[in-house]
Amino acid sequence: MFNSLQWKIIFIYLMLILFSLQLISVYLVQSLEQYYLRNYKDNVENQAGLLSAFIKPDFGGGEEWAEDTFRLTREFRNLHEMDIIVLDNHAQIVGTSGSQTLIGRRLIRDEITRALAGNMSDNMRYDPVKEERRYYLAYPIENNQSTLGVIYLSGSLKSVDDTLNEVKTIMLSGAGLALAVSFILGVVLTRTITVPIKEVTGQAHHMAGGDFSRKINVQTSDEIGRLGSTFNYLAERLSHTIDEISSEKSKVEAIINNMSDGVAALNGKGYLIQINPAARRLINNLGLKTPALNRSGFGLLRSLIGSDETRRFIRNQKPLTAEISSHEPDCTMQVKIAPFKIDKGKLDGTLIVLHDITRERELTRRQEEFVADVSHELRTPLATVKSYVETLLDGAAEEPQVRNRFLNVLANETERMVSMIKDLLVLSQMDSGRMDWQESEVDLRNLALEAVDQARQKLSSKLPHINVLINSEYYRVFVDRDKVMRVFSNLLNNALKYTAPDGDITISAKEQNSFIEVLIEDNGSGISEEELPRIFERFYRVEKTRSRDYGGTGLGLSIARKVVEAHGGKIWVDSSVGMGTRVWFTLPKAADGEESLS
């Protein structure tokens, strides 16, 4: 029973009530007893004083006085149910309401002795014969400050005790009734506390089982009601938090499963506990076998970084990075291994990250090739310049025809190197964001015609037929004129280089939503499918043997793409060998492109 909070509260509640009732009962009984005794004493004292007033005038006046005293005490006894004895100043009985044989005897009591001394005295004693309490009062009879005698009264306190016993009985029955009612009320009231607590406990069990949908029925606004409301709020917040955690877990799993880098995790015992598809793919590319989940992953570690490095990693518990390669297929992987959850020096898990750096290594290789190509391209004109200058210094400058021819060659080679340096500077400014853009409304047809004129002036040989099919009335763009002119020039020069003199080049345009789509199409030699993905790379050049003139620097298309993308457009190429080339790029229309480029 006492394992229940309800019965504990009821027990404590009843004990408090019982203690309170006992305290009140004792206080009330004592107060009533004092009240009745005080009234009784006052009544006896008043009767003693009245009797004294009747007896005192003729105190000790012979037989006639004795007869009057006997009659008077009898009347007082019958009227007030008290025993009365009259004593003289020697404590001898001179009158009594009882047996007359007592007259002449001496009666010694403490209260009588004090009364003979002039002090009224009383006392309460239990009478074993009558089995009741009695009250005794010794009242001095005084005359001129001298004590003539004592009136000694005794009365039964049975009526007072009976009254007090009735009060006690009433209070006892009332206390019993109060305890019974209190018990019933305690059961009812404690249920208002324990029932919500039981609901909270039940809800806690359901929450522990993962069910947050149940709600506590809150019926009051007291502390218990607020506890239920708070618990409902807690359940709602926990449900929301768990949903967020689950969502974040799903997001993390989605990120891990869809990231390009391979991620695998081992627990403290070395078992594989997590691996994403990218890791499986990269491990397969390396020709290694992927262990199953919950199987030992130390074999994978040894395959990736070697047995010695694996032992060193387990011993030192420090991150390490390694690079491994495979030739069939050709791939290079960067492996990063890091410990996690190290508790008291114990390795509690290992994270393996695989990063495919095949493309980076390929780019590095291509950059190295480009540096070599640029060095070659610069070395050739520089060697030409050097040899021609040396020839001129050796005396060829004295011959006008040789001198002029040499100077023309020097000018062309110098122009080529200057052009390469300018292109490099333009790309550098675009990459760093230091390029100044001056946008304005431009007639696209005039821009194309101007690019055609510039191309014709640069190339003195016979050119292919160039058609400009752009309507000035409709096709106006909001661009940086000089930068877009470079785009036209680069694309047109490429078309001219790879198109025979009897071929055709067409420049056209059409609207595409808020952009103008420009097409430069030729029917030249075209570009192979293998080279198309790389034509926008810096310093990449199609074979020189496929151009009509000396090949360019390989920077033109890179610059063109940067300019177009800076205007919010895009550029793409479609070509095939022997079928010509089509280059599209988009530029913002004048009405929609009036915001400066950043």
Side-chain angles (χ1 to χ4, degrees):
M1 179 184 297
F2 290 101
N3 289 331
S4 170
L5 177 63
Q6 180 179 9
W7 292 110
K8 288 181 180 178
I9 295 175
I10 292 174
F11 178 76
I12 294 172
Y13 173 66
L14 292 179
M15 290 298 102
L16 288 174
I17 291 177
L18 182 60
F19 174 76
S20 301
L21 289 176
Q22 286 180 340
L23 185 63
I24 294 172
S25 299
V26 171
Y27 175 76
L28 183 59
V29 169
Q30 289 181 349
S31 298
L32 287 174
E33 183 178 11
Q34 291 175 3
Y35 171 76
Y36 283 119
L37 287 176
R38 186 169 56 251
N39 287 342
Y40 188 84
K41 289 178 182 180
D42 291 343
N43 182 48
V44 173
E45 185 177 344
N46 290 333
Q47 298 304 320
L50 182 62
L51 185 59
S52 174
F54 283 114
I55 295 175
K56 182 171 59 174
D58 298 320
F59 188 84
E63 293 181 2
E64 185 178 354
W65 175 85
E67 185 66 25
D68 291 339
T69 301
F70 174 73
R71 186 178 61 254
L72 186 60
T73 55
R74 283 280 182 171
E75 290 177 358
F76 266 84
R77 175 185 178 182
N78 294 333
L79 183 63
H80 300 288
E81 296 182 354
M82 291 184 296
D83 292 333
I84 304 171
I85 298 175
V86 181
L87 299 98
D88 61 12
N89 55 4
H90 297 289
Q92 287 183 347
I93 299 174
V94 293
T96 177
S97 62
S99 176
Q100 296 297 312
T101 59
L102 298 175
I103 295 176
R105 296 182 181 182
R106 296 190 66 181
L107 183 62
I108 303 299
R109 296 283 191 274
D110 291 339
E111 54 269 21
I112 294 174
T113 303
R114 286 192 292 268
L116 290 173
N119 299 316
M120 185 179 63
S121 177
D122 63 352
N123 195 4
M124 282 188 301
R125 289 191 295 272
Y126 180 76
D127 189 347
V129 177
K130 295 182 179 182
E131 296 182 349
E132 63 180 12
R133 288 194 308 163
R134 295 187 66 82
Y135 176 70
Y136 299 91
L137 175 65
Y139 190 89
I141 302 172
E142 296 179 330
N143 184 22
N144 296 326
Q145 297 182 351
S146 63
T147 303
L148 300 177
V150 174
I151 297 175
Y152 189 54
L153 295 92
S154 67
S156 174
L157 294 176
K158 188 176 185 304
S159 61
V160 175
D161 291 339
D162 290 344
T163 302
L164 291 176
N165 288 333
E166 289 180 5
V167 170
K168 291 178 182 178
T169 302
I170 293 172
M171 293 192 69
L172 251 159
S173 59
L177 180 62
L179 283 175
V181 173
S182 299
F183 176 78
I184 296 172
L185 290 177
V187 173
V188 174
L189 292 176
T190 52
R191 279 182 61 83
T192 63
I193 298 174
T194 57
V195 169
I197 292 177
K198 288 179 180 178
E199 289 188 15
V200 171
T201 305
Q203 175 67 3
H205 283 296
H206 286 286
M207 289 173 60
D211 181 11
F212 298 93
S213 60
R214 296 184 50 163
K215 299 295 181 184
I216 298 173
N217 185 19
V218 180
Q219 298 179 347
T220 60
S221 59
D222 56 8
E223 288 81 358
I224 299 296
R226 289 196 292 273
L227 174 62
S229 300
T230 304
F231 213 86
N232 287 338
Y233 176 74
L234 174 63
E236 182 180 352
R237 292 300 304 164
L238 280 176
S239 177
H240 180 67
T241 302
I242 290 176
D243 289 342
E244 285 186 347
I245 293 173
S246 299
S247 176
E248 292 301 321
K249 180 182 178 182
S250 299
K251 291 178 183 177
V252 171
E253 288 180 350
I255 292 171
I256 292 176
N257 290 333
N258 292 281
M259 64 190 303
S260 59
D261 286 348
V263 177
L266 311 180
N267 62 14
K269 296 180 179 179
Y271 294 133
L272 183 67
I273 57 175
Q274 181 70 40
I275 185 169
N276 66 347
R280 295 182 183 276
R281 175 177 52 81
L282 295 176
I283 291 172
N284 290 334
N285 289 345
L286 292 172
L288 302 177
K289 183 179 179 181
T290 305
L293 288 175
N294 299 318
R295 297 291 183 181
S296 178
F298 285 126
L300 176 63
L301 274 180
R302 286 190 291 269
S303 300
L304 291 173
I305 61 176
S307 299
D308 294 338
E309 289 294 330
T310 301
R311 285 193 294 269
R312 189 177 296 112
F313 168 76
I314 295 174
R315 183 174 60 254
N316 298 332
Q317 299 179 5
K318 293 181 180 180
L320 63 86
T321 302
E323 188 173 305
I324 56 178
S325 300
S326 173
H327 299 289
E328 294 182 2
D330 188 12
C331 64
T332 303
M333 300 289 174
Q334 184 182 65
V335 182
K336 293 184 178 180
I337 302 175
F340 64 93
K341 294 183 180 179
I342 298 177
D343 185 17
K344 297 180 180 180
K346 182 180 179 181
L347 183 64
D348 197 34
T350 303
L351 182 66
I352 304 172
V353 179
L354 298 173
H355 179 57
D356 189 354
I357 58 173
T358 305
R359 182 174 176 81
E360 286 83 345
R361 292 292 178 263
E362 179 65 19
L363 290 175
T364 301
R365 184 184 64 79
R366 291 181 182 179
Q367 288 176 356
E368 292 173 352
E369 290 178 356
F370 163 72
V371 171
D373 290 341
V374 171
S375 300
H376 175 74
E377 294 294 338
L378 289 176
R379 183 177 59 192
T380 300
L382 285 174
T384 302
V385 170
K386 180 180 179 182
S387 62
Y388 276 50
V389 170
E390 291 175 350
T391 303
L392 289 173
L393 291 175
D394 288 341
E398 303 299 330
E399 300 179 12
Q401 292 182 352
V402 175
R403 181 182 65 225
N404 292 337
R405 181 165 60 84
F406 279 18
L407 289 176
N408 286 331
V409 172
L410 291 174
N412 291 334
E413 296 298 333
T414 303
E415 179 64 24
R416 175 173 174 75
M417 288 187 290
V418 169
S419 177
M420 181 183 294
I421 298 301
K422 287 181 178 180
D423 289 345
L424 288 171
L425 289 175
V426 168
L427 281 173
S428 176
Q429 289 175 342
M430 289 184 179
D431 288 340
S432 62
R434 293 182 287 107
M435 178 66 71
D436 293 329
W437 300 90
Q438 303 295 329
E439 301 86 10
S440 62
E441 189 174 327
V442 177
D443 186 319
L444 194 60
R445 176 179 173 81
N446 291 338
L447 194 65
L449 292 174
E450 185 176 343
V452 172
D453 291 339
Q454 289 182 1
R456 286 174 175 166
Q457 291 175 6
K458 289 182 179 180
L459 299 176
S460 57
S461 59
K462 185 178 180 181
L463 300 177
H465 180 66
I466 302 176
N467 297 315
V468 179
L469 306 178
I470 300 177
N471 193 328
S472 298
E473 183 178 355
Y474 299 106
Y475 300 133
R476 301 183 68 80
V477 292
F478 190 79
V479 296
D480 187 316
R481 192 178 191 283
D482 293 339
K483 306 298 188 301
V484 175
M485 173 62 75
R486 179 186 287 270
V487 174
F488 271 103
S489 298
N490 289 340
L491 298 179
L492 191 57
N493 287 336
N494 285 339
L496 291 172
K497 289 178 183 178
Y498 294 98
T499 304
D502 57 350
D504 291 318
I505 298 175
T506 303
I507 303 176
S508 61
K510 64 178 180 179
E511 289 190 13
Q512 287 287 351
N513 298 324
S514 60
F515 287 87
I516 303 297
E517 183 180 282
V518 182
L519 170 62
I520 300 179
E521 182 179 10
D522 65 66
N523 56 2
S525 58
I527 305 172
S528 66
E529 186 177 352
E530 293 79 12
E531 291 178 311
L532 276 178
R534 299 187 58 187
I535 60 175
F536 288 106
E537 294 179 6
R538 299 180 185 183
F539 313 117
Y540 182 80
R541 292 187 299 117
V542 181
E543 302 178 44
K544 296 177 186 153
T545 56
R546 305 218 3 233
S547 64
R548 296 172 60 248
D549 296 316
Y550 189 75
T553 63
L555 298 174
L557 287 178
S558 295
I559 295 174
R561 182 174 64 177
K562 283 283 187 180
V563 172
V564 171
E565 290 177 350
H567 283 86
K570 57 183 179 178
I571 183 171
W572 66 98
V573 178
D574 181 28
S575 181
S576 58
V577 177
M579 301 297 293
T581 302
R582 290 163 299 285
V583 182
W584 291 271
F585 63 93
T586 57
L587 298 171
K589 290 196 297 188
D592 301 323
E594 298 180 358
E595 293 184 1
S596 298
L597 299 171
S598 58

